[in-house]
Amino acid sequence: MARLADDPPADSRDGFTAILNAGLPTKRVISQGLLRDEQGRVLLCELTYKQEWDLPGGVVEVGEAPSIGLVRELEEELGITVEVRDLLTVNWLPAWRGWDDACIFLFDLGVVDSSITEGMTLQPTEIKAVHWCDPSEVRSRATDAAIELLEAVDAGSLPAYREAPKQPE
């Protein structure tokens, strides 16, 4: 591991912390929101970079709180401002299709009028379209991880922390 001349001494608190931070693993954190309409349908995003649809949200930036990251992602990608309510669960995802493992923070975004989608400004590099989906549409269109997660939400069997099953490649 290289050190620069102006790095704090390795035997100091700051130097020791810097050495550990440089070598310890990092974990990707994703925040997603569960947004329902007045009919109980779930909002899913049709993405530009994968075939399956997914819950709105995205990767949390370094130093950013998961709830703040979710608000930022929905402002950037959908052009809406949301109120983040309760944390529903933290869902660990194993590595899949070349992606490293990650932790998803799933937040409740409440119930809104379905017409909210008419006023959305979609970020075209990431979002093709948004769709209100009933359970059968979720099962036919969503990512396997989102299907499994939403079925657990609907069954009421959602612990504070969970581990998603490994998905087939």
Side-chain angles (χ1 to χ4, degrees):
M1 194 176 307
R3 296 187 39 77
L4 302 176
D6 60 348
D7 283 348
D11 60 352
S12 71
R13 181 184 185 283
D14 289 344
F16 182 73
T17 301
I19 290 169
L20 285 179
N21 274 341
L24 289 173
T26 57
K27 178 81 59 195
R28 189 166 26 99
V29 174
I30 300 166
S31 282
Q32 292 183 324
L34 179 58
L35 187 63
R36 293 187 188 267
D37 71 1
E38 65 279 355
Q39 298 173 39
R41 298 176 298 179
V42 173
L43 185 71
L44 292 181
C45 297
E46 185 177 349
L47 306 168
T48 61
Y49 52 89
K50 60 183 171 184
Q51 291 181 337
E52 305 90 354
W53 299 355
D54 212 345
L55 291 163
V59 176
V60 176
E61 294 178 359
V62 174
E64 183 177 52
S67 63
I68 300 301
L70 180 59
V71 170
R72 176 188 51 75
E73 284 286 335
L74 271 60
E75 287 174 349
E76 291 174 0
E77 295 180 358
L78 304 180
I80 61 170
T81 301
V82 296
E83 177 187 337
V84 176
R85 298 167 189 249
D86 292 334
L87 175 67
L88 297 175
T89 192
V90 175
N91 191 36
W92 176 78
L93 295 178
W96 178 71
R97 290 188 182 169
W99 292 97
D100 290 340
D101 70 321
C103 287
I104 293 179
F105 286 70
L106 178 65
F107 290 97
D108 178 17
L109 299 179
V111 176
V112 297
D113 189 285
S114 60
S115 66
I116 191 173
T117 56
E118 296 166 14
M120 289 183 179
T121 304
L122 306 183
Q123 184 179 40
T125 57
E126 293 197 38
I127 311 293
K128 288 182 190 176
V130 292
H131 307 275
W132 291 111
C133 298
D134 62 27
S136 68
E137 290 170 306
V138 168
R139 282 189 297 280
S140 68
R141 297 291 196 154
T143 64
D144 289 341
I147 293 167
E148 191 272 334
L149 180 59
L150 290 170
E151 286 176 351
V153 168
D154 288 345
S157 59
L158 203 59
Y161 169 78
R162 58 196 309 279
E163 295 180 0
K166 184 160 177 60
Q167 302 296 322
E169 292 295 318

